[in-house]
Every structure is written in structure tokens, then in C-alpha cells.
Amino acid sequence: MKRLFALILVLAVVACKETKKENLKTAATEEARTPDLKLYTFNGGTVMVNNLELFSQDTTYQGQTKEFADAFYVISHPKGNLMWDAGLPEGLIAMEKPFTSPDGNFTVSRKDSVVHQLKSIGMSVVDIKYIALSHTHFDHSGHANSFKNSTWLVQEPEYHFITSGESQKTNADNYNAIKELTNVKKLNGDFDVFGDGSVLIKSMPGHTPGHQVLYLDLPENGPTLLSGDLYHLYENREHRRVPIFNFNVGQTLESMEAFEAFAKEKNAKVYLQHQKEDFEKMPKAPNYLK
């Protein structure tokens, strides 16, 4: 009986210590979050996908269409402001009706400029210290050149991919969208933007050579992951479907595995940037215009 009592006592002490450790760990995590870190979500336009079959290697989406959101974000940190992605080209704002690509696959539109949208949170172009694009496709780099005085945080393979002579010839519109970003910080892997772990750029290649996603440790929302174009649809995330136009299928699948492991490790909420339902969940500016 004495031995049993002693064993119970030891187990109780161990359990108490483990509980204290967990409490201290949770408290440390809460304390580590930057209290002044804020996220604002803006409407960078709308993409009507007229041929959803492009978003899988098989015929799963044959004959289907879907409307995508096209968000961009401002992350406000005591050490500066970061813009994540840049929506669709602002030339669309002046068009009387949405523009359909020559191949008929996409119909796109945009209603508001980045300058006007920044005013809703009391900012202007000069207030953005960093700009980072998940990748350099046309629907993520639209107003990038407006931030030529900001530092462009870009994976080195993406930089060489978009600025190469071949890209300038075959993807001139995509190149022209970023050509004025000459203040460049080339990344080779993950990058802690402000040095405190609250804003992390995570290298996730495959969709393009230097595709990346963004992790935020937000005071109110907690650990948060913005997916870039690693996933476009909830179904693609569930079934690991890869668009037919991805740069490298194998890299994409590896990035998906790494992304899910990181999301689990951080217990992060994942937001798919093109999924309209996730766009609606994100915090908006007070004077937000849909």
C-alpha cells in the first residue's frame, strides 16, 4: 500500500510539472506574439475561371467554372509594413467590362486602386517598407511597380525566372509588372521578415520556381498561414491536386507535404487566397470596398 501511495504521489508530481511546462510554453507563445501586429485584407480583383479543368492533372473539373477571389494584404508591424501580393493589373479598373483572355480561360476585373485602398488604413505607397509576392503570375503582381521604393523580398529562383531574357520575351506582361522593383532582397529559403518570428516567408516552390507562402503569428487570430497559390481550392488541398500549368509537379507535392507539416506544428489556421469563403473571413480595413 505504501508503495502504491508513493507511486501515485510521484505520478502526481510529474503530471503537475508537465502541466506547468505546458502553461509556461503557452504563456511564452502568447508573450512572443507582437501585440501591434495587424493584418488587413484587400480586394485585388476577381478572376472568373472559365475552364476549371486547368486546376487538376486529370479531368476532375471538366466542364466546370468557378469565381476566384484575388486578395492582397498589408501586414503592419512596429518595424515596418509588408505588402503581400499585389492583385490584378490596375489597368482593368478603367475598363467598362471585364477582360477575357484570348484563350478564353479567364475573365478578370478590378474595381479599385491600391493607392485608394491604402488610404482606408491611413497609409500611402511610401509607408510600405517591404513588398513580397507569393509568385509573379499576373494575378499576384498587378500593382507591384507602384512600390519601386520598397524592398522586394523574392526567392532567388523566382527572381531569375521572371527577369530572364526568355521571360522578358515570352512572359512580357508578367515581367513588366515587376520590372521597376529594383530594390531587391533575394531569398534562398525561409525568411524571418522582422526578426521576431511573427512574420515568416516560407519557401514552397513548385507552382513557380520560387513560390512562397506567408506565416503570421497574429495577436487576435493566432498562427495564420496564407497559401499563395499552393492551393487554389479546398478540394485541391484535400486531394493534393496540382494545376496543369504548375512549373514542377514533384516540387509542388513536396511543398504541400512541408506546408501541412508546418501548419500542424504551428496549429495554424490556413487561408486559401483564391477561395472566396476564406477571403470573406479575413480582417478588412474599416472603409473596405468590395
Side-chain angles (χ1 to χ4, degrees):
M1 184 62 72
K2 288 181 179 180
R3 288 180 180 177
L4 180 60
F5 179 76
L7 179 59
I8 292 172
L9 183 61
V10 168
L11 291 174
V13 170
V14 170
C16 183
K17 287 182 177 180
E18 289 301 316
T19 301
K20 285 182 178 179
K21 284 182 181 178
E22 286 301 314
N23 289 340
L24 287 171
K25 184 178 179 181
T26 301
T29 300
E30 294 294 334
E31 187 178 349
R33 286 180 185 147
T34 305
D36 295 327
L37 188 69
K38 294 179 181 178
L39 170 67
Y40 300 100
T41 304
F42 294 97
N43 189 342
T46 300
V47 178
M48 186 66 202
V49 181
N50 302 318
N51 180 13
L52 199 62
E53 192 174 349
L54 296 171
F55 289 84
S56 180
Q57 298 286 316
D58 54 27
T59 58
T60 297
Y61 301 125
Q62 188 173 28
Q64 296 184 43
T65 63
K66 191 173 181 65
E67 186 177 295
F68 283 0
D70 198 339
F72 69 93
Y73 309 83
V74 171
I75 297 90
S76 177
H77 186 283
K79 293 183 179 178
N81 301 308
L82 165 71
M83 179 167 288
W84 177 255
D85 277 335
L88 285 158
E90 291 196 334
L92 294 168
I93 299 170
M95 298 182 70
E96 293 182 0
K97 60 181 182 179
F99 172 79
T100 299
S101 59
D103 57 17
N105 289 326
F106 302 98
T107 299
V108 295
S109 62
R110 180 167 177 167
K111 295 180 180 179
D112 203 3
S113 70
V114 66
V115 171
H116 184 256
Q117 288 173 294
L118 284 176
K119 284 182 180 178
S120 69
I121 54 172
M123 290 187 192
S124 66
V125 168
V126 298
D127 294 314
I128 303 301
K129 184 175 183 179
Y130 300 110
I131 182 168
L133 310 176
S134 57
H135 60 298
T136 53
H137 283 167
F138 75 100
D139 54 330
H140 292 260
S141 61
H143 58 242
N145 281 334
S146 298
F147 299 90
K148 58 186 176 183
N149 293 321
S150 305
T151 299
W152 181 24
L153 304 176
V154 56
Q155 298 293 329
E156 189 165 4
E158 188 78 4
Y159 179 81
H160 292 308
F161 165 71
I162 194 61
T163 61
S164 69
E166 182 181 354
S167 280
Q168 292 184 44
K169 292 179 181 178
T170 61
N171 294 306
D173 288 342
N174 286 358
Y175 167 73
N176 288 334
I178 55 83
K179 69 179 181 180
E180 294 183 37
L181 300 180
T182 56
N183 187 11
V184 181
K185 182 175 179 60
K186 298 173 188 174
L187 311 180
N188 285 285
D190 300 347
F191 180 67
D192 187 343
V193 178
F194 297 106
D196 58 9
S198 65
V199 182
L200 302 177
I201 290 174
K202 301 284 293 179
S203 173
M204 297 281 168
H207 185 62
T208 59
H211 180 271
Q212 51 193 13
V213 304
L214 189 68
Y215 169 79
L216 305 167
D217 196 5
L218 295 167
E220 295 182 4
N221 202 54
T224 299
L225 271 167
L226 301 179
S227 68
D229 274 9
L230 182 63
Y231 304 114
H232 296 79
L233 308 161
Y234 294 143
E235 296 90 342
N236 279 19
R237 184 183 180 199
E238 180 182 357
H239 300 291
R240 302 293 196 273
R241 291 176 184 150
V242 179
I244 64 172
F245 54 88
N246 272 31
F247 176 76
N248 188 302
V249 173
Q251 275 189 336
T252 302
L253 293 171
E254 289 175 3
S255 289
M256 288 176 175
E257 290 298 320
F259 181 91
E260 296 302 335
F262 183 75
K264 184 177 181 180
E265 174 194 336
K266 295 293 187 179
N267 193 27
K269 298 174 185 176
V270 174
Y271 295 87
L272 308 191
Q273 292 183 211
H274 280 304
Q275 192 78 46
K276 289 176 63 179
E277 294 83 352
D278 280 359
F279 175 77
E280 294 298 334
K281 295 175 188 175
M282 301 301 284
K284 310 294 192 306
N287 300 317
Y288 171 68
L289 173 67
K290 288 188 178 181

